[in-house]
Amino acid sequence: MSDVKILLTEKEMPEKWYNIMADMPNLPKPPLHPATKQPVGPEDLSAIFPMELIKQEVTQERWIEIPDEVREIYRLWRPSPLCRARRLEKALDTPAKIYYKYEGASPAGSHKLNTAVPQAYFNKQEGINRLTTETGAGQWGVALSQACNFFGMECKVYMVKVSYDQKPYRRSMMQIYGSTVVASPSDETEAGRKVLAADPESPGSLGIAISEAVEVAAQRDDTNYALGSVLNHVMLHQTVIGLEAKEQMAKAGDYPDIVIACCGGGSNFSGMAFPFVYDKLVQGAKVRLIAAEPSSCPTLTRGQFAYDFGDVAGLTPLLYMYTLGSEFMPPSIHSGGLRYHGDSPLVSQLLHDGIIEATSLDQTSIFKGAILFARCEGVVPAPESSHAIQCAINEALAAKEAGEARTILFNLSGHGLLDLPSYDKYMAGKMEDYPLPEEILSSALKNLPKI
Ligand SMILES: *Cc1c(COP(=O)(O)O)cnc(C)c1O
């Protein structure tokens, strides 16, 4: 019997991040300036990002060195464990082997700290002492708050209002690390005031919170902005997950047929999948890569591949990506981290080119999978991560149906210990599904910017 838990030593932690832009058959179309609609240059971005991250955003160098100062903080929770879900396999009575990489052991409780730390670091290196950001469920806000705290920087977080009200404990965590947290839409910014004037009861959205955080960062010289997903440099930093997972699978003497991760803006999916995409593109590996998203916010499975803004006010560059339209208001589902209208341009391009796949799942089905997983493996997963779990369960059952011993690897992006009210609601039978009606989708897509 092989091990349940496959660990790496600190010395085996990757020294470089993997940049998929070195190997993609087609690079994404360039981001465009929101006003001129011309490709953005480094100068356009330097008002809110440090030069080093701007370089990482565009470079096609395959391997990017992880600075020692970043690796030192990574060591607080990295290398993260890879586990074999034997009890889940047994419960499903499947011939499939199921492995999962556990990112919930980071002090932030999710994978997001993998990019928060280098983002804070590269800003600090360039003399920036204050960052603004947005957060949905609060996981990104918590991660960036921790990272800023490690480097002695200030952090201001615009938190989507429905989560600010529903997830008060993540707000407390951000405050423990010294951040200032404001419910978005707020009356502190032009963008926030505009939304409130139209709808004083607005529950907020990531798109609105991004507008607020970017507006403030652009106004102050000492302040930059940090984004927790979507951008190329964020995907890059997360590749430590998949690079470690590959070493761990090799230690287990195995290689996945299927790699799965949930997908909001694409960062934990990229982190897990891109090192395997390398195997597929460069070495001809026959691995399937599946991004799992909510049926209520089905960006990859039902969105349009087009230029769109990253935010509601139209302050961000236009990104070429799968999108539901920047004005799309996702229903207030319990996977706050997956309520975003767009997706990473890198993930979008790979999907468009048929290199990866996407699937969507209903909210009640993912909670069912989450509870089965918790009872088998002990970990209470984040609702976001439970999309990957339910997708892995579906694939394990398909393997059983086909009578094939497939090897499945998924990323457990975070724990759900601050999501217990959502579990309560599910267990009380009060949770509903919100498959996106076609009319809402087509009306949201009507207002895509004309390029
Ligand atoms: C934020 C978050 C996600 C979704 O974001 P991606 O950028 O798509 O990774 C998934 N899982 C958890 C636990 C999160 O906090």
Side-chain angles (χ1 to χ4, degrees):
M1 197 192 213
S2 68
D3 297 341
V4 164
K5 201 163 164 195
I6 300 119
L7 300 173
L8 298 176
T9 63
E10 284 186 20
K11 282 209 181 92
E12 291 170 306
M13 189 168 77
E15 290 174 8
K16 292 175 177 161
W17 292 301
Y18 168 59
N19 176 15
I20 195 146
M21 285 188 280
D23 297 305
M24 289 170 77
N26 299 302
L27 288 173
K29 292 191 191 180
L32 304 181
H33 192 282
T36 65
K37 311 276 195 310
Q38 294 303 305
V40 288
E43 335 63 65
D44 299 316
L45 297 173
S46 66
I48 57 170
F49 292 116
M51 257 356 256
E52 188 54 38
L53 292 180
I54 296 172
K55 266 198 240 155
Q56 292 176 7
E57 196 58 25
V58 296
T59 182
Q60 287 177 47
E61 218 173 294
R62 181 172 290 115
W63 298 102
I64 309 290
E65 188 93 20
I66 307 176
D68 284 342
E69 293 87 340
V70 171
R71 279 167 51 84
E72 194 184 308
I73 296 178
Y74 274 180
R75 281 197 194 99
L76 292 175
W77 73 99
R78 306 214 72 83
S80 70
L82 180 87
C83 305
R84 173 93 183 261
R86 287 188 180 276
R87 289 162 184 277
L88 178 63
E89 291 169 13
K90 204 163 167 204
L92 297 171
D93 186 27
T94 173
K97 291 190 245 179
I98 305 175
Y99 291 90
Y100 67 93
K101 177 84 167 151
Y102 187 43
E103 291 297 308
S106 92
S110 79
H111 67 292
K112 291 204 170 70
L113 203 52
N114 296 327
T115 184
V117 172
Q119 289 196 46
Y121 170 79
F122 290 121
N123 272 290
K124 180 84 180 182
Q125 285 291 95
E126 294 180 32
I128 294 291
N129 285 311
R130 190 166 174 269
L131 291 177
T132 62
T133 198
E134 73 292 330
T135 195
Q139 267 134 335
W140 169 241
V142 167
L144 194 69
S145 298
Q146 291 190 350
C148 284
N149 170 63
F150 286 139
F151 292 109
M153 302 164 75
E154 270 181 58
C155 182
K156 172 133 193 189
V157 184
Y158 292 86
M159 184 170 189
V160 176
K161 185 144 175 278
V162 354
S163 301
Y164 188 91
D165 297 332
Q166 272 180 6
K167 315 229 153 160
Y169 297 122
R170 290 231 169 76
R171 181 188 354 131
S172 316
M173 272 184 92
M174 291 182 248
Q175 288 162 340
I176 288 172
Y177 295 107
S179 293
T180 312
V181 189
V182 184
S184 166
S186 78
D187 58 9
E188 292 185 358
T189 65
E190 197 61 48
R193 285 190 292 270
K194 218 168 127 190
V195 175
L196 287 174
D199 177 9
E201 299 302 313
S202 168
S205 70
L206 273 178
I208 295 168
I210 293 174
S211 295
E212 294 204 85
V214 169
E215 184 184 318
V216 172
Q219 282 164 354
R220 282 178 59 160
D221 277 349
D222 66 339
T223 304
N224 269 350
Y225 164 75
L227 187 61
S229 192
V230 182
L231 298 179
N232 303 347
H233 65 268
V234 184
M235 307 299 124
L236 174 79
H237 301 153
Q238 293 292 355
T239 58
V240 284
I241 302 173
L243 292 168
E244 285 178 7
K246 259 167 61 164
E247 285 184 64
Q248 287 162 310
M249 289 300 288
K251 274 200 179 181
D254 236 332
Y255 189 84
D257 299 301
I258 306 171
V259 174
I260 299 167
C262 67
C263 196
S267 77
N268 91 93
F269 173 77
S270 301
M272 176 55 110
F274 284 3
F276 291 96
V277 174
Y278 170 86
D279 291 357
K280 184 166 183 166
L281 290 175
V282 180
Q283 293 169 339
K286 288 214 167 39
V287 52
R288 289 175 59 203
L289 307 137
I290 309 177
E293 63 181 11
S295 58
S296 53
C297 192
T299 316
L300 294 173
T301 48
R302 291 173 66 196
Q304 198 159 316
F305 195 37
Y307 271 116
D308 198 5
F309 294 108
D311 68 332
V312 165
L315 299 176
T316 71
L318 291 151
L319 299 177
Y320 201 74
M321 59 186 175
Y322 280 96
T323 179
L324 298 169
S326 61
E327 290 163 19
F328 175 69
M329 278 296 250
S332 302
I333 53 166
H334 291 266
S335 299
L338 305 183
R339 287 176 79 240
Y340 186 60
H341 68 274
D343 221 302
S344 146
L346 295 173
V347 171
S348 297
Q349 187 68 47
L350 290 166
L351 179 70
H352 185 73
D353 291 341
I355 295 162
I356 63 163
E357 307 164 38
T359 187
S360 74
L361 297 137
D362 288 337
Q363 164 162 272
T364 51
S365 86
I366 65 105
F367 273 94
K368 185 163 171 251
I371 286 178
L372 176 64
F373 184 82
R375 290 182 182 171
C376 292
E377 302 299 320
V379 176
V380 176
E384 290 85 356
S385 319
S386 305
H387 288 75
I389 294 175
Q390 186 54 41
C391 180
I393 290 174
N394 291 343
E395 289 299 329
L397 293 175
K400 178 175 166 182
E401 190 82 14
E404 282 179 24
R406 295 174 192 153
T407 300
I408 300 167
L409 167 64
F410 73 87
N411 194 27
L412 185 49
S413 50
H415 71 65
L417 294 178
L418 296 181
D419 301 288
L420 298 182
S422 304
Y423 277 89
D424 283 345
K425 199 160 176 191
Y426 172 76
M427 290 187 290
K430 291 195 185 135
M431 191 173 280
E432 288 168 52
D433 288 326
Y434 303 94
L436 183 60
E438 195 55 43
E439 320 78 85
I440 297 186
L441 179 62
S442 47
S443 88
L445 287 172
K446 242 184 239 134
N447 292 331
L448 286 182
K450 310 265 175 300
I451 306 300

